[in-house]
Amino acid sequence: PVPASSKKSETEALKRVPSERPPFTVGDLKKAIPPHCFKRSIPRSFSYLITDIIIASCFYYLATNFFSLLPQPLSYLAWPLYWACQGCVLTGVWVIAHECGHHAFSDYQWLDDTVGLIFHSFLLVPYFSWKYSHRRHHSNTGSLERDEVFVPKQKSAIKWYGKYLNNPLGRTVMLTIQFTLGWPLYLACNVSGRPYDGFASHFFPNAPIYNDRERLQIYISDAGVLAVCFGLYRYAAAQGMASMFCLYGVPLLIVNFFLV
């Protein structure tokens, strides 16, 4: 039997859940925000982007030109420091491209999409694909039926092995997988995403996530990611997989960590 105190706390929690419309609208909230906050500035937007690019380039230059000169113990400390710092800076670049998807970078949609496509592709994100699914996420945030990502499972849908992961070791394993592979698995296979009839992937133009008007841009997104993958392949062929992984791969994992 469930203790009476537990039932009482659950009842009180349910009573605190808002069940009525708030006494204000989204329009009221927008009116309360100073108008200058809605003004897009191309110089300011590019200043943030260029600043991040300069910082990331400086980190790359230091790593490629000076880390090999460090005595052995210091190099073991230098690389983790590089990964953390570069991952944080590249997360900033990712966020700027994300804002392009929200048409917040400039007043020109073509400029936003161009900048977003370039820099999301650099971080192996299919720009238009995610732009459209992310827009629907904002339209349906918190919905068990229509939200696009991090849709919580109902108790009846939890797999049989779930109870064996509900312990410190199991949670550590699941968090490790989520922080390292969660983002690419969501993009590639819709893991933790909204259930669809048919194969749902941000790289598949005919996925049920998209309508016919959007499918051409999914091809463009794929082309951008493939171009970057080819560039990484050429870099790895010339400099080695270890160099590519240390300079680009690990910072990208840091970016993915922040996203999930």
Side-chain angles (χ1 to χ4, degrees), residues 58-87:
C58 289
F59 286 147
Y60 175 84
Y61 179 81
L62 289 173
T64 53
N65 288 276
F66 295 102
F67 282 13
S68 61
L69 304 177
L70 294 173
Q72 198 72 346
L74 288 180
S75 64
Y76 290 135
L77 296 175
W79 278 110
L81 184 61
Y82 166 82
W83 294 332
C85 293
Q86 190 73 295

Side-chain angles (χ1 to χ4, degrees), residues 9 16 22 25 32 35 53 57 67 78 104 150 184 188 190 193 201 214 218 222 242:
S9 62
R16 291 197 299 270
T25 65
I53 292 173
S57 299
F67 282 13
F150 294 127
N190 199 40
S201 170
E214 298 165 343
I218 311 307
D222 290 350

Side-chain angles (χ1 to χ4, degrees), residues 59-172:
F59 286 147
Y60 175 84
Y61 179 81
L62 289 173
T64 53
N65 288 276
F66 295 102
F67 282 13
S68 61
L69 304 177
L70 294 173
Q72 198 72 346
L74 288 180
S75 64
Y76 290 135
L77 296 175
W79 278 110
L81 184 61
Y82 166 82
W83 294 332
C85 293
Q86 190 73 295
C88 289
V89 174
L90 292 181
T91 300
V93 174
W94 191 98
V95 170
I96 291 174
H98 160 272
E99 295 308 310
C100 290
H102 284 296
H103 192 23
F105 189 84
S106 75
D107 289 328
Y108 304 96
Q109 186 69 65
W110 67 267
L111 180 59
D112 288 18
D113 286 342
T114 301
V115 173
L117 177 64
I118 291 171
F119 289 97
H120 259 178
S121 296
F122 176 73
L123 297 170
L124 302 184
V125 178
Y127 170 73
F128 289 108
S129 311
W130 188 76
K131 169 184 172 180
Y132 292 131
S133 70
H134 188 61
R135 181 177 61 192
R136 296 185 183 103
H137 157 68
H138 278 290
S139 300
N140 301 282
T141 302
S143 170
L144 287 174
E145 293 81 21
R146 301 187 62 82
D147 201 350
E148 287 290 340
V149 66
F150 294 127
V151 180
K153 288 183 173 62
Q154 297 185 17
K155 188 175 182 179
S156 59
I158 296 177
K159 302 294 185 181
W160 62 269
Y161 52 79
K163 61 182 179 181
Y164 298 107
L165 297 174
N166 191 23
N167 54 69
L169 178 60
R171 286 192 288 271
T172 300

